Amino acid sequence: QSTLVKHRKQKGRITLGKILILFGLLLFACYIILPLMWMLSTTLRHPLRSFALPPAIFPTEFDLSSYATVFQKVDFELFIWNSAKVALLGTFLQLVCSTLAAFAFARIQFRGRNAIFILFISALMIPSQVIGIPRFIMLSKLHLMDNHAALIIPAMFSALGIFLIRQYMMTIPKSYDEAAYIDGASLFYCYYRIILPMSKPAIMVIAVQSFIASWNDFYGPLIYLNSLEKMTLPLGLTALRGMLNTGSQATIIAGVVLSLLAPLLFYLFGQRYLVEGTNLGGLK
């Protein structure tokens, strides 16, 4: 018992190493938070005083004119609708394709399974910019330019999503499948009612990553979209710069702050599953 008490005292003792680690984490937190605080405080001041030196980290006044200007200069609601349409449809279709492929690689035995899986994973080594020209030619031949389908269809396939969900499904005991098959369940029933619900943490990780990546994507809309009414939020916000970049920087930052709300809400909604998926993945 005395050894246990001594061990607990040593474990709870504050050492120089712990202090240095906490100090380093505090500096890193400030490095992340202070630019966000500056962005928020800049949008809450009058545009003429937005970039005064020294920069103010905390709000000194609450002038919402920059936010009102965002809705006056551009059709902000339309950009939000376009981004939500592309991000939600792309994320949903990616989850459908990724979970079906992951289930096949994890639970079905067929010839050449490992070789095909390695071929899928090899796509992770190819940067998206390398296949940009072939993809552009293919989509133009399909007459999908200036169409949201040019952004949604390529987002359906994700080698990373297939890999992560497949690895998670591999950790589920095969006894669940065998019990379902004995009771007369079909292969699709086993996928939809047994394996899919048990893989929810991994699926939510991919869903959050896919939604945020699609919502913040600027490269894809810049290449495939031409009409102002088809533009997504990151591309549409460039209209706030005005002719010859004469627009107010405070207004542009206000638009950026508003664009962060949807990913933040989506992340908060899936936070519990993200933590669960990270913990289970680390334990297994």
Side-chain angles (χ1 to χ4, degrees):
Q1 185 177 2
S2 59
T3 305
L4 180 61
V5 173
K6 183 178 179 181
H7 176 71
R8 288 179 177 177
K9 288 183 179 180
Q10 291 178 352
K11 187 176 180 180
R13 186 182 303 169
I14 299 178
T15 60
L16 179 61
K18 290 182 178 181
I19 294 176
L20 293 177
I21 292 175
L22 291 175
F23 183 72
L25 292 175
L26 180 62
L27 290 179
F28 182 74
C30 293
Y31 174 77
I32 298 296
I33 294 176
L34 290 181
L36 298 177
M37 292 293 298
W38 177 82
M39 286 178 55
L40 182 61
S41 63
T42 298
T43 60
L44 294 177
R45 293 193 296 270
H46 192 275
L48 296 177
R49 294 186 291 274
S50 297
F51 295 91
L53 295 177
I57 302 299
F58 299 98
T60 55
E61 53 185 298
F62 293 92
D63 188 346
L64 301 179
S65 60
S66 296
Y67 292 98
T69 307
V70 172
F71 292 91
Q72 294 171 0
K73 294 190 65 174
V74 297
D75 196 348
F76 196 76
E77 297 89 345
L78 179 62
F79 295 154
I80 292 178
W81 166 252
N82 292 337
S83 290
K85 173 185 175 182
V86 171
L88 291 175
L89 283 177
T91 300
F92 173 76
L93 294 176
Q94 182 182 136
L95 291 179
V96 172
C97 295
S98 297
T99 52
L100 286 171
F103 179 80
F105 286 126
R107 318 302 287 191
I108 303 176
Q109 296 290 339
F110 57 90
R111 181 177 297 179
R113 183 182 68 168
N114 294 332
I116 298 175
F117 179 69
I118 293 174
L119 184 63
F120 269 78
I121 296 305
S122 63
L124 292 173
M125 299 184 293
I126 304 176
S128 60
Q129 290 79 6
V130 174
I131 60 176
I133 295 177
R135 179 180 291 177
F136 179 86
I137 295 174
M138 180 180 65
L139 293 175
S140 63
K141 294 293 184 180
L142 294 174
H143 304 288
L144 294 178
M145 300 303 296
D146 199 25
N147 194 314
H148 290 155
L151 303 175
I152 297 172
I153 293 177
M156 293 172 59
F157 169 76
S158 172
L160 180 62
I162 294 173
F163 172 74
L164 292 179
I165 298 176
R166 181 256 187 186
Q167 295 301 109
Y168 192 91
M169 288 182 176
M170 291 285 289
T171 63
I172 300 175
K174 290 291 185 73
S175 57
Y176 290 100
D177 306 54
E178 296 169 355
Y181 296 146
I182 291 174
D183 290 337
S186 63
L187 193 63
F188 182 79
Y189 185 91
C190 183
Y191 154 78
Y192 180 68
R193 298 299 299 270
I194 299 176
I195 303 300
L196 201 62
M198 297 180 69
S199 304
K200 189 180 294 184
I203 293 173
M204 285 303 303
V205 170
I206 300 301
V208 173
Q209 291 181 351
S210 174
F211 179 85
I212 293 178
S214 180
W215 183 273
N216 295 330
D217 184 27
F218 181 81
Y219 175 76
L222 180 65
I223 299 298
Y224 301 116
L225 300 181
N226 302 319
S227 304
L228 183 63
E229 62 271 11
K230 296 290 184 63
M231 290 183 179
T232 56
L233 194 55
L235 186 61
L237 288 178
T238 58
L240 293 174
R241 295 183 303 178
M243 295 295 294
L244 301 177
N245 293 333
T246 56
S248 171
Q249 296 297 321
T251 303
I252 297 175
I253 296 176
V256 173
V257 171
L258 290 174
S259 69
L260 296 176
L261 296 179
L264 179 62
L265 293 175
F266 196 83
Y267 172 79
L268 293 176
F269 170 75
Q271 183 180 14
R272 179 170 65 89
Y273 300 102
L274 288 173
V275 174
E276 183 180 352
T278 304
N279 293 338
L280 291 177
L283 292 175
K284 292 178 179 178

